[in-house]
Amino acid sequence: TALTAHPIVGRLLSTIVFVTNGGNLTLNAPTLNAVAGSDLAVTATGSLTLPGSSINTLAGNLSLRSTGSSLSTAATLGTTSGTLSLSGKTGLNVQHALQTGSGPIDLATTTSGDVVVSATITSTSGALTVNARDAVSLSAPVNTGSGAITLNANTDGTGAQGFTQAVGATLTTSNAGAGAVSIGVNTSAGGTGGAVLDGITVGSGGTISVRTNTGGNATGGSITQAAGSLLDAGTGTVSL
């Protein structure tokens, strides 16, 4: 069966949840006037089609999930302090900007598939976490303000899928902690994926960590870096 969720207009006073029962869901352009603590959570057990107009839940959490298919953005998504979470069963395509203030951004595939980011991701201090069962591919800049960046590819520990950072798809954070930027490929169970890097900048004293031997993996692929790009940790550590 298929379900169409029509526009939501007004103030969101509590969590609004749409769940399909073994079918597909189309969310038609909602107009949201969110208040603190107001969340929007949409889960489809089939495909989830998002509206072509932006959604911003402000202080509320925004969760969009397909547990039966891949998920693709159709417009800008954001929060201020709420968590922004996107998840697809067999793939996640971020084709439009993601923006938060202090809100964390969580991106994932749950059964198989790549996380492909071709639009900017920005926050003021919200951390970015990506967990892909297969590859992570970035072709647009990411700037998380002071938030940490954690990117994990090939988390099913099979095959040669890895992490790819296209030229110009820089990673930037002012975070100066031990986990400022952490990129992991493969698992202890296996995987031969590698990592292709472009520019990465963290706060001086922070750590940039890139590993394809995650969990003691002995079959991980190579780590390469684009010519002319820089891994900049200031007085910190670059660990490859």
Side-chain angles (χ1 to χ4, degrees):
T1 60
L3 175 67
T4 297
H6 290 284
I8 308 162
V9 181
R11 296 171 66 84
L12 301 178
L13 299 180
S14 60
T15 301
I16 297 178
V17 182
F18 293 103
V19 181
T20 63
N21 184 16
N24 303 323
L25 186 150
T26 298
L27 183 64
N28 285 337
T31 301
L32 304 177
N33 181 20
V35 295
S38 300
D39 303 337
L40 176 63
V42 181
T43 300
T45 58
S47 64
L48 173 59
T49 301
L50 300 180
S53 58
S54 63
I55 301 175
N56 193 312
T57 53
L58 303 179
N61 299 322
L62 175 58
S63 175
L64 303 170
R65 303 175 63 233
S66 171
T67 61
S69 184
S70 61
L71 179 67
S72 297
T73 63
T76 299
L77 302 173
T79 71
T80 53
S81 57
T83 297
L84 172 55
S85 177
L86 304 177
S87 175
K89 179 180 180 181
T90 57
L92 175 62
N93 296 298
V94 178
Q95 305 167 123
H96 303 80
L98 304 182
Q99 303 171 349
T100 70
S102 60
I105 301 172
D106 297 326
L107 309 176
T109 54
T110 58
T111 300
S112 64
D114 304 338
V115 174
V116 178
V117 177
S118 56
T120 59
I121 296 177
T122 58
S123 72
T124 303
S125 59
L128 170 65
T129 303
V130 178
N131 287 295
R133 298 291 285 172
D134 293 325
V136 174
S137 175
L138 304 181
S139 58
V142 172
N143 189 326
T144 56
S146 61
I149 298 173
T150 303
L151 310 174
N152 296 311
N154 203 18
T155 62
D156 63 2
T158 61
Q161 299 89 353
F163 171 79
T164 302
Q165 193 181 354
V167 173
T170 53
L171 297 175
T172 304
T173 176
S174 63
N175 190 292
V181 170
S182 176
I183 299 171
V185 184
N186 308 310
T187 70
S188 59
T192 60
V196 178
L197 308 179
D198 192 52
I200 301 175
T201 302
V202 303
S204 184
T207 296
I208 299 171
S209 173
V210 183
R211 60 200 184 282
T212 62
N213 63 343
T214 308
N217 179 301
T219 60
S222 60
I223 298 173
T224 60
Q225 184 181 350
S229 64
L230 180 65
L231 305 182
D232 183 4
T235 61
T237 302
V238 175
S239 174
L240 305 177

